[in-house]
Amino acid sequence: MSTQTQSRNITLTTLQKIKEAGQKFACLTAYDACFAEIASSAGVEVLLVGDSLGMVLQGHDSTLPVTMADMVYHVACVKRGNKGALIMADLPFMSYASESQTLENAASLMRAGAQIVKLEGGAWIANTTRLLAERGIPVCAHMGLTPQSVNRIGGFYVQGRDTEQAQVILEEALLLQDSGANILLLECVPRTLAKTITDSLEIPVIGIGAGPDTTAQIMVLHDLLGVSPITPKFVKNFLVENNNGIPGAIESYVSAVKTETFPAKEHCFD
Ligand code: KIV
């Protein structure tokens, strides 16, 4: 084990300090022990066991079929490989529909090795966020494009483009922070809106397709490695230009986030 991995143990406090120092941190999805070890050793601060596993591992066309059993299995795999990154895990579709379900399912993810749970929604998840926070379970609120609601949204579209919708997202982000969320994740929103929200919140904001001004960036591992069947605008293949294989590609991503060279203009929505 290297000196770097021995001394590294990322917590929410670490992430808050990075934000307060005006620096950036890098997040990446991971679903198994092998990639969890490579990514955490490459300097990724947050490993997300995302319900994107339904699409990139299981071959579904949405995240809706992912079950709690799937999530618990993959969180336990990631925990075994992790070298000091913070492990975040998704509460999958309909796993936080009632209070008792939410508590039971969040506890299962934490027992398997998660250190923070992520749930999708706006004002309607405020009570759930408070419920979890009061019981000692950290929460990341996922806003903007929320893939679990793809059927209601009508597709994987950019959110918050009109002024009225942008204002609602900003107000709901503030509400979720007040309800106890420790992190906000913004997916596919215009960069100006992501900047306004990041500047308005005290908690770190992680972005994907949200421009360069958020506190942190996240990518889906398969997108970073260029093996996803589709390539959205906000994706960059870090493997193609790298001579040091997968660890090198992930190190390049971490460095690009920290030096603010990723995301570039071509990866942003206006
Ligand atoms: O499930 C996931 O991987 C995610 C990211 C796209 C942020 O939620």
Side-chain angles (χ1 to χ4, degrees):
M1 197 186 281
S2 74
T3 318
Q4 188 201 1
T5 52
Q6 267 175 349
S7 59
R8 206 168 155 271
N9 202 7
I10 305 294
T11 63
L12 288 173
T13 310
T14 320
L15 303 181
Q16 194 66 39
K17 282 190 181 151
I18 293 174
K19 175 185 165 80
E20 282 159 20
Q23 293 165 357
K24 306 277 179 185
F25 62 89
C27 319
L28 187 63
T29 65
Y31 315 101
D32 65 29
C34 174
F35 280 101
E37 177 157 8
I38 294 171
S40 54
S41 302
V44 168
E45 274 99 351
V46 178
L47 294 176
L48 169 65
V49 187
D51 59 1
S52 53
L53 69 86
M55 299 174 83
V56 296
L57 299 190
Q58 298 174 336
H60 296 296
D61 59 4
S62 79
T63 58
L64 274 60
V66 177
T67 65
M68 268 306 298
D70 294 331
M71 292 304 304
V72 167
Y73 172 79
H74 287 283
V75 170
C77 293
V78 166
K79 181 181 166 53
R80 287 193 282 269
N82 180 33
K83 299 287 179 233
L86 187 83
I87 300 179
M88 182 187 289
D90 267 329
L91 276 164
F93 178 62
M94 288 304 280
S95 68
Y96 43 105
S98 71
E99 286 196 2
S100 59
Q101 236 188 348
T102 303
L103 292 175
E104 196 179 311
N105 289 328
S108 298
L109 293 178
M110 302 295 280
R111 285 191 194 107
Q115 292 156 301
I116 177 167
V117 299
K118 175 161 84 58
L119 51 160
E120 298 182 7
W124 71 271
I125 59 161
N127 288 341
T128 315
T129 299
R130 194 176 297 283
L131 180 78
L132 290 166
E134 284 172 354
R135 283 152 184 84
I137 299 183
V139 172
C140 172
H142 180 153
M143 297 187 71
L145 173 58
T146 48
Q148 291 174 14
S149 307
V150 64
N151 292 302
R152 192 175 160 87
I153 297 169
F156 296 98
Y157 302 128
V158 179
Q159 301 295 301
R161 271 198 161 131
D162 69 72
T163 318
E164 221 171 281
Q165 201 193 17
Q167 186 59 27
V168 170
I169 296 175
L170 171 61
E171 280 166 17
E172 295 192 345
L174 288 163
L175 172 67
L176 292 175
Q177 174 177 265
D178 289 348
S179 305
N182 302 88
I183 299 182
L184 184 81
L185 188 147
L186 282 177
E187 178 166 354
C188 291
V189 297
R191 62 174 291 183
T192 47
L193 174 60
K195 177 167 171 37
T196 303
I197 294 174
T198 305
D199 292 346
S200 307
L201 294 189
E202 283 159 25
I203 57 175
V205 177
I206 302 174
I208 177 165
D213 302 305
T214 52
T215 325
Q217 298 293 327
I218 187 160
M219 279 190 81
V220 170
L221 173 68
H222 294 60
D223 291 342
L224 184 153
L225 299 178
V227 294
S228 293
I230 49 163
T231 309
K233 180 182 165 77
F234 55 83
V235 161
K236 178 171 173 181
N237 178 341
F238 281 89
L239 185 59
V240 76
E241 289 168 12
N242 200 283
N243 297 324
N244 297 315
I246 291 173
I250 298 177
E251 279 167 18
S252 295
Y253 162 64
V254 172
S255 160
V257 170
K258 289 182 184 293
T259 57
E260 301 182 39
T261 52
F262 176 79
K265 202 171 182 320
E266 66 267 26
H267 305 118
C268 301
F269 298 108
D270 295 316

